[in-house]
Structure formats: C-alpha cells, structure tokens
Amino acid sequence: MLKGFRFHTKSCGKSGFSTMSGGRQSFREVAIPVPWGKIAAKEWGDTDGKPWLGIHGWLDNAGSFDLIAKDWPAGHKLVAIDYPGHGFSSHIPSGCSYHYMEGSAYVRRIAEYFGWDKFSLIGHSMGGGISSVYSALYPEQIESLIMIDLIRPVRRHDDEFISKARESIDGALKVEKKLKQTKVYPSYEDAFKRLYEGSLAMNGPDAVTERTARIILERGVRKSDCGEGWVFTRDLRHRNVGLYGLYQQNLQSITENIKCHHLLIKAQDFPHYESDEDVENTINTYRKNPLFQYRLVEGNHHLHLNTPEAVLPVILEFINRANL
C-alpha cells in the first residue's frame, strides 16, 4: 500500500469508492470503465452538487487538485481524473500513442458515464489546454472553464510538420523498447527523490515543495509486480512528441469558440510557453467573450498546489460572480 494511504472502504462500480484521509479532506475514489481498462478519479464535495471535471498537467495526476479540492464550494463537486496513462488510470493499448485531441474523447466518455448534460471544467497546464479544446467542441455542455497557467495548447508551426512527425514516429518505437524494461526503485524514498529532482530540473528550483511532490507521488508510484521496489505509474509514451500537432488555424478556431464563463489564471513567476505576440493575440481573442476573466496570481507553474491560499480565493470569487 502506498505510503500515506489509509483506505477505509472499498468497492467497485459507479457508486463504489474508497475514502482516504491523510491530513486532507476525505474524498471518494472513482473508477470509470473504458474499453482499455479504467479512468481513475478522486471526487470531492456534495455528491449531488454541480459537477466539475478536473484535468491535471503533464506527468502529474489527480493529486494535483488535492489542496484546492478540499475546500471546494458547497453545492458543487469536483471529480479530478488521473488522465489516461497517469496515476491509477489504465494505459492505452500497446502500439498506440497519445494525442492531445484524444483528451476530448476521454472527457466525452466521462460525461456520458456520469450522465452530465451540463458541467464545468478546471485544468492545469496540459489539462487546461484539453479543457479549452473540449469547451470549444461542445460549448452547449460547458457552463464554466478554469485554466491554470496555460494560455492555450502549445502551437505547432507549419514548418515543423515534417520534422515533428518523423521525431514522433521514431520516438514511439524507441519508447516501446524501453517499456519492456521497467525501472524499479528500491524504496519509496528513492522514487520520491527521482520525482522531486526531476520536477525541479524541468520547471525550476521552486517548481514543487517536498510536501507537494509527496502528494503527487501518492498516485504516481505503485509496488512493482515482483513486490520488490516501486515503479512509476505514468506511461512513458507521454514523453514522446505527439504525431499530430495543433496549428494556428486550429487554435484560432478553438479560442474563438469558447463561449462559457471563462477564468484564466496565469502564474506570475513562470514564463509563457509561446511568444508574447501569440499570448497577446490569444488573450485578445478570449476577451471578445464578455464572460472571460484574466487573473495574474503570484506563484510558479504549480501555484494551485504550492500556494493554494493564493489560487482558491480567485476560483471561489469566479464561481460566485458567475452564480454557478
């Protein structure tokens, strides 16, 4: 059993869940069936509340929302998923690859499973981008959209079509070979060190704290099949460059078609992924929607996890002002 987990009840199916309390508010563990296995999730709040779907960032998991979800407003519930290939969710079948647009298919499956005709989305980084795409594809379903520290899905430039496609194909074959030899860490602390140091190397010296890294690790590792040591649960195929990119014309269509209440929270201490010109043009397009709000909040890329006290009030104000 993962360090820090204390499971009190356990069952299967839509209404079954495991409840855990480890210094954070109790939640319900959910398993959403899909043809290749399951999409795992954590559910907080009123069971009959207005639904929100939370989608975490690249190589994170549902634990990313722990510190804002515990104070989710009354009358609402938050279902934070482990995006396929992360956390406790199943990996997609062998020989397949992940693609950004598939995220909308996953969201659609989840909405149909729960019977949600109307719901809201909150996403961090990659999850924010996926949430924006779905909001544009199905505007009639989405009441509100909150994006945390991502302006839009990262653009692929026209002149990268050949090079990125080739890089993706070759990379997919290389990853397949790596998957045959899963790296096992002798102890939980060895796995923690790898995750913590990797996060700092990727996102800067203050990317995560030890506390928040341990939150991600709770769903980020499992006991190895042989029972000796720990392995990461994330699918290495997520590290590969996507075969298909989103180009400027695609992204323009997405940003123009978001019609719902829309909050974009940008971390003050973390750079943009794209040029200042692209960022400015995107925000100006969002502003054509009278329901759009932009908030610059002190913190780094994982500000919702590292400094939830700065982020949660902004979210609660947005929900209150929108009369959701």
Side-chain angles (χ1 to χ4, degrees), residues 122-176:
I122 179 170
H124 169 241
S125 196
M126 175 192 79
I130 291 169
S131 296
S132 72
V133 173
Y134 191 88
S135 298
L137 291 177
Y138 294 95
E140 72 281 5
Q141 285 192 321
I142 303 304
E143 293 190 317
S144 293
L145 166 66
I146 298 176
M147 299 168 65
I148 301 175
D149 209 39
L150 187 77
I151 302 298
R152 67 176 188 181
V154 177
R155 171 187 178 185
R156 184 167 292 182
H157 294 271
D158 293 342
D159 59 3
E160 295 178 311
F161 175 76
I162 296 295
S163 62
K164 291 296 185 182
R166 177 170 175 149
E167 181 182 352
S168 177
I169 293 168
D170 291 345
L173 298 178
K174 289 178 181 177
V175 170
E176 280 188 6

Side-chain angles (χ1 to χ4, degrees), residues 40 66 82 85 103 105 111 121 126 168 198 207 251 265 273 281 300:
D66 275 17
D82 291 328
L121 287 161
M126 175 192 79
S168 177
L251 293 169
I265 298 174
Y273 288 104
N281 289 338
N300 56 27

Side-chain angles (χ1 to χ4, degrees), residues 3 22-25 63-64 66-68 70-71 188 192 195-196 200 207-218 303-309:
K3 185 176 180 180
R24 299 184 291 280
Q25 184 187 39
S64 173
D66 275 17
L67 299 185
I68 59 173
K70 67 185 182 66
D71 294 313
Y188 192 88
F192 166 75
L195 181 144
Y196 182 56
L200 299 183
V208 292
T209 65
E210 287 198 23
R211 180 199 180 199
T212 54
R214 289 190 183 279
I215 291 174
I216 295 298
L217 196 67
E218 288 175 356
L303 69 168
H304 64 306
L305 190 58
N306 291 331
T307 52
E309 67 280 1

Side-chain angles (χ1 to χ4, degrees), residues 16-308:
F17 56 82
S18 299
T19 301
M20 183 202 90
S21 177
R24 299 184 291 280
Q25 184 187 39
S26 296
F27 64 87
R28 300 171 291 278
E29 188 77 33
V30 179
I32 302 156
V34 291
W36 61 92
K38 70 174 182 179
I39 295 176
K42 303 173 75 172
E43 180 183 292
W44 291 265
D46 299 340
T47 55
D48 296 324
K50 293 183 178 181
W52 288 77
L53 184 68
I55 307 175
H56 60 79
W58 182 61
L59 301 184
D60 289 340
N61 54 58
S64 173
F65 293 100
D66 275 17
L67 299 185
I68 59 173
K70 67 185 182 66
D71 294 313
W72 209 242
H76 296 256
K77 69 176 176 183
L78 172 61
V79 178
I81 64 168
D82 291 328
Y83 189 80
H86 296 76
F88 296 157
S89 288
S90 302
H91 297 188
I92 60 174
S94 298
C96 298
S97 297
Y98 296 95
H99 178 248
Y100 219 94
M101 292 299 291
E102 290 290 345
S104 290
Y106 302 149
V107 173
R108 184 74 169 140
R109 286 181 183 275
I110 293 165
E112 287 199 353
Y113 174 75
F114 286 116
W116 294 344
D117 295 322
K118 296 275 189 180
F119 62 102
S120 298
L121 287 161
I122 179 170
H124 169 241
S125 196
M126 175 192 79
I130 291 169
S131 296
S132 72
V133 173
Y134 191 88
S135 298
L137 291 177
Y138 294 95
E140 72 281 5
Q141 285 192 321
I142 303 304
E143 293 190 317
S144 293
L145 166 66
I146 298 176
M147 299 168 65
I148 301 175
D149 209 39
L150 187 77
I151 302 298
R152 67 176 188 181
V154 177
R155 171 187 178 185
R156 184 167 292 182
H157 294 271
D158 293 342
D159 59 3
E160 295 178 311
F161 175 76
I162 296 295
S163 62
K164 291 296 185 182
R166 177 170 175 149
E167 181 182 352
S168 177
I169 293 168
D170 291 345
L173 298 178
K174 289 178 181 177
V175 170
E176 280 188 6
K177 294 176 182 177
K178 288 184 178 180
L179 289 174
K180 296 176 181 177
Q181 296 181 332
T182 303
K183 184 173 180 59
V184 179
Y185 293 84
S187 71
Y188 192 88
E189 288 305 310
D190 288 325
F192 166 75
K193 182 179 179 182
R194 174 67 184 89
L195 181 144
Y196 182 56
E197 293 180 351
S199 295
L200 299 183
M202 187 186 310
N203 293 314
D206 299 316
V208 292
T209 65
E210 287 198 23
R211 180 199 180 199
T212 54
R214 289 190 183 279
I215 291 174
I216 295 298
L217 196 67
E218 288 175 356
R219 300 175 78 84
V221 293
R222 62 171 176 82
K223 272 287 191 180
S224 66
D225 292 338
C226 65
E228 296 181 4
W230 298 82
V231 297
F232 281 97
T233 57
R234 59 199 183 199
D235 192 337
L236 281 178
R237 286 174 289 180
H238 276 296
R239 289 188 171 275
N240 191 35
V241 173
L243 180 57
Y244 312 103
L246 291 174
Y247 295 86
Q248 179 58 31
Q249 185 176 356
N250 309 134
L251 293 169
Q252 188 65 27
S253 296
I254 290 166
T255 54
E256 289 176 349
N257 210 43
I258 296 174
K259 308 296 185 184
C260 61
H261 292 277
H262 182 190
L263 171 64
L264 174 55
I265 298 174
K266 180 68 189 78
Q268 181 175 300
D269 304 325
F270 195 79
H272 294 290
Y273 288 104
E274 299 188 89
S275 70
D276 290 343
E277 180 181 3
D278 281 343
V279 168
E280 182 179 0
N281 289 338
T282 300
I283 292 177
N284 286 338
T285 300
Y286 286 148
R287 286 197 167 117
K288 294 178 182 178
N289 173 11
L291 303 178
F292 173 70
Q293 297 179 43
Y294 178 77
R295 295 291 297 272
L296 188 65
V297 177
E298 185 176 355
N300 56 27
H301 186 53
H302 284 81
L303 69 168
H304 64 306
L305 190 58
N306 291 331
T307 52

